[in-house]
């Protein structure tokens, strides 16, 4: 294992920001355990991040003290539950800098947010010959809903290519925008490659032709400050569980003008203002799109997670994760037979790689024996694997609570894989 003194000089635990990262790590109880006799190193943050005590406690508190259904009761518990639920909406509004709280729709996650737009926004507008434009680095969640809606309407899916560094080819993007394009749906940050896309420029180019843009923010929202008004995106989708909040909850942000003009695609309780057998009138925004009892505890926990990351500061988090990315890249690149897939100039703290000596699943299995958790597979982005002509990659994705020791343990583990599989 490299000694601290031999480390590339990229960071110290107490960064210029003044944030004590070592102390923050203590907020995550799951990280303080042994896996196969070794301290856990958790490097699968792009799949889901761990939860701080504050989030766990807020969910516990909600169930112990406030649990009731929202928007329905006039008794104290229901009022408390409603207040906590709606307070979280205000927090999301601030977190994304949305112009209005009504633009924040709670959904199950990024996947549901995109499906909502596909069914409520795109489906009624699309006709044969229309086009939806995505990129070659999308997660299946930002491919399949569009394929489904294309099948339902006769529209076509178009794909912007990416170059060998895993960057969107902007010239091709501009060429693909045309009068038939009804929507651009692009990932802000790629989960499989780490690329941070030039979304501001892409949105501006689409808007020049009055084409609305949806951003898949599943990987961006945890790692950089998102301002939907500055971006001027029409829709933004994100998942709580990647931002240190609970699973099963997420957000669709949409510009009010679009949301007002959209019909809900799910019917049920809470999304109506009146129902008779002859006619139903839908509720106002945002409730129109929140049919049924929502994941109240999840929303409460998510609100706490947003408080938690906002206290640290997204800019501080981004800076710390860039330090870790730089360190990890420097430590991993010299390892024998290792090739990083995804070398965009602008990159988040995600390192996908392949090794000459072993399949990604074997790498992940050997690392697990050493207490190091990484992901192996296609990362729900099979077309990315095809683009780079690899069956799968191993992926280490870093969060602010990771540190240089974690990265050293990863490197040690990879050396062990090389020893076992290639005797090197
Ligand atoms: C870029 C991207 N989009 C969409 C998703 C889907 O998110 P969820 O499964 O939380 O709906 C993910 C999850 O990994 C992702 O990384």
């Amino acid at each position: 294992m490299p000694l601290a003194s031999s480390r590339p000089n990229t960071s110290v635990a107490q960064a210029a920001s003044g944030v004590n990262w070592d102390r923050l790590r203590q907020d995550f109880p799951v990280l303080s355990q042994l896996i196969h006799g070794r301290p856990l190193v958790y490097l699968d943050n792009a799949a889901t991040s761990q939860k701080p005590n504050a989030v766990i406690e807020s969910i516990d508190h909600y169930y112990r003290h406030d649990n009731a259904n929202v928007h329905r009761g006039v008794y104290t518990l229901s009022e408390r539950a409603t207040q906590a639920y709606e307070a979280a909406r205000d927090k999301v509004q601030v977190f994304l800098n949305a112009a209005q709280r009504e633009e924040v729709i709670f959904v199950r996650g990024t996947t549901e947010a995109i499906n909502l737009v596909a069914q409520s926004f795109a489906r009624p507008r699309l006709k044969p010959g229309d086009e939806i434009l995505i990129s070659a680095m999308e997660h299946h969640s930002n491919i399949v809903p569009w394929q489904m809606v294309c099948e339902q309407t006769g529209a076509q899916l178009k794909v912007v290519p990416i170059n060998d560094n895993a960057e969107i080819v902007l010239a091709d993007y501009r060429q693909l925008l045309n009068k038939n394009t009804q929507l651009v749906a692009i990932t802000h940050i790629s989960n499989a490659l780490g690329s941070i896309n030039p979304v501001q420029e892409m949105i501006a180019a689409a808007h020049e032709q009055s084409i609305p843009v949806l951003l898949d923010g599943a990987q961006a929202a945890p790692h950089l400050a998102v301002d939907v008004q500055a971006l001027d995106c029409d829709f933004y989708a994100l998942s709580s569980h990647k931002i240190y909040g609970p699973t099963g909850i997420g957000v669709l942000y949409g510009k009010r003008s679009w949301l007002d003009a959209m019909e809900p695609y799910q019917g049920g309780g809470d999304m109506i203002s009146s129902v008779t057998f002859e006619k139903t009138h839908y509720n106002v925004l945002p409730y129109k799109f929140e049919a049924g009892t929502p994941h109240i505890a999840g929303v409460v926990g998510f609100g706490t997670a947003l408080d938690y990351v906002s206290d640290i500061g997204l800019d501080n988090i981004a800076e710390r994760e860039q330090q870790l990315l730089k360190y990890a890249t420097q430590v991993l690149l010299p390892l024998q037979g290792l090739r990083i897939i995804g070398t965009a100039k602008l990159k988040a703290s995600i390192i996908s790689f392949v090794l000459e000596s072993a399949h990604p699943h074997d790498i992940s299995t050997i690392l697990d024996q050493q207490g190091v958790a990484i992901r192996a597979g296609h990362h729900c982005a099979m077309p990315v694997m095809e683009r780079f002509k690899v069956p799968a990659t191993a992926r280490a994705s870093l969060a602010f609570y990771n540190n240089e020791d974690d990265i050293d343990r990863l490197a040690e583990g990879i050396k062990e894989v090389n020893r076992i599989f290639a005797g090197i």
Side-chain angles (χ1 to χ4, degrees), residues 235-418:
F235 298 101
Y236 200 93
L238 57 87
S239 299
S240 146
H241 70 95
K242 298 187 197 279
I243 321 176
Y244 314 102
T247 52
I249 191 72
V251 163
L252 172 68
Y253 157 82
K255 279 185 184 165
R256 183 164 194 149
S257 52
W258 290 126
L259 294 176
D260 270 334
M262 285 158 57
E263 301 267 297
Y265 83 119
Q266 289 181 354
D270 234 22
M271 52 74 72
I272 53 86
S273 62
S274 73
V275 179
T276 65
F277 287 121
E278 289 69 42
K279 176 82 188 154
T280 287
H281 293 279
Y282 301 135
N283 207 341
V284 293
L285 283 176
Y287 312 111
K288 179 168 85 167
F289 294 109
E290 293 180 2
T293 300
H295 184 8
I296 307 164
V299 168
V300 170
F302 182 33
T304 308
L306 294 184
D307 287 341
Y308 183 84
V309 291
S310 302
D311 281 352
I312 302 170
L314 258 297
D315 289 339
N316 291 332
I317 289 174
E319 183 194 343
R320 173 64 177 151
E321 290 176 348
Q322 284 299 314
Q323 289 171 343
L324 291 173
L325 172 68
K326 194 169 168 197
Y327 180 75
T329 308
Q330 289 177 357
V331 167
L332 296 186
L333 262 186
L335 300 181
Q336 198 157 340
L338 186 143
R339 180 162 63 96
I340 292 179
I341 309 286
T343 50
K345 271 196 209 78
L346 284 180
K347 232 188 115 168
S349 51
I350 291 173
I351 303 186
S352 261
F353 62 93
V354 289
L355 260 192
E356 270 167 26
S357 67
H359 188 278
H361 285 122
D362 293 324
I363 302 172
S364 180
T365 305
I366 302 285
L367 285 171
D368 180 56
Q369 290 305 310
Q370 302 176 33
V372 179
I374 65 158
R375 190 65 146 208
H378 53 62
H379 317 295
C380 295
M382 290 172 92
V384 169
M385 302 299 118
E386 204 178 310
R387 165 65 181 79
F388 287 92
K389 298 192 170 37
V390 289
T393 72
R395 182 187 71 184
S397 49
L398 304 152
F400 66 81
Y401 48 59
N402 291 122
N403 59 29
E404 287 77 0
D405 288 340
D406 291 347
I407 294 163
D408 291 343
R409 290 267 308 280
L410 169 67
E412 268 311 301
I414 295 171
K415 285 183 196 160
E416 181 66 11
V417 175
N418 270 339

Side-chain angles (χ1 to χ4, degrees), residues 123-142:
R123 190 173 180 179
R125 284 172 176 74
L126 291 176
K127 53 184 190 320
D130 284 345
E131 295 172 4
I132 302 272
L133 186 54
I134 62 170
S135 85
M137 65 169 85
E138 300 306 320
H139 187 282
H140 296 162
S141 292
N142 201 28

Side-chain angles (χ1 to χ4, degrees), residues 82-154:
T82 303
Q83 197 275 334
Y85 183 81
E86 293 302 330
R89 197 186 308 277
D90 295 334
K91 291 174 189 182
V92 176
Q93 184 196 345
V94 172
F95 185 74
L96 294 177
N97 192 31
Q100 302 174 29
R101 67 190 309 280
E102 291 79 7
E103 295 177 322
V104 174
I105 314 290
F106 286 121
V107 290
R108 277 192 298 131
T110 305
T111 303
E112 189 173 65
I114 296 172
N115 276 279
L116 196 167
V117 177
Q119 291 303 313
S120 283
F121 177 79
R123 190 173 180 179
R125 284 172 176 74
L126 291 176
K127 53 184 190 320
D130 284 345
E131 295 172 4
I132 302 272
L133 186 54
I134 62 170
S135 85
M137 65 169 85
E138 300 306 320
H139 187 282
H140 296 162
S141 292
N142 201 28
I143 301 173
V144 184
W146 306 119
Q147 285 175 327
M148 290 165 75
V149 80
C150 282
E151 246 169 52
Q152 288 157 348
T153 61

Side-chain angles (χ1 to χ4, degrees), residues 1 19 30 42 65 69 74 86 98 137 144 157 190 207 209 219 224 239 316 337 357 361 395 400 406 411:
M1 186 179 292
V19 179
V30 83
Y42 184 76
H65 300 281
N69 215 325
V74 285
E86 293 302 330
M137 65 169 85
V144 184
L157 193 63
S190 157
H207 283 178
Q209 301 189 42
Q219 295 298 335
L224 48 85
S239 299
N316 291 332
S357 67
H361 285 122
R395 182 187 71 184
F400 66 81
D406 291 347

Side-chain angles (χ1 to χ4, degrees), residues 36-56:
H36 300 299
R38 306 279 309 270
L40 168 65
V41 170
Y42 184 76
L43 298 174
D44 195 17
N45 295 286
T48 199
S49 57
Q50 298 302 343
K51 318 305 169 200
N53 282 316
V55 168
I56 298 166

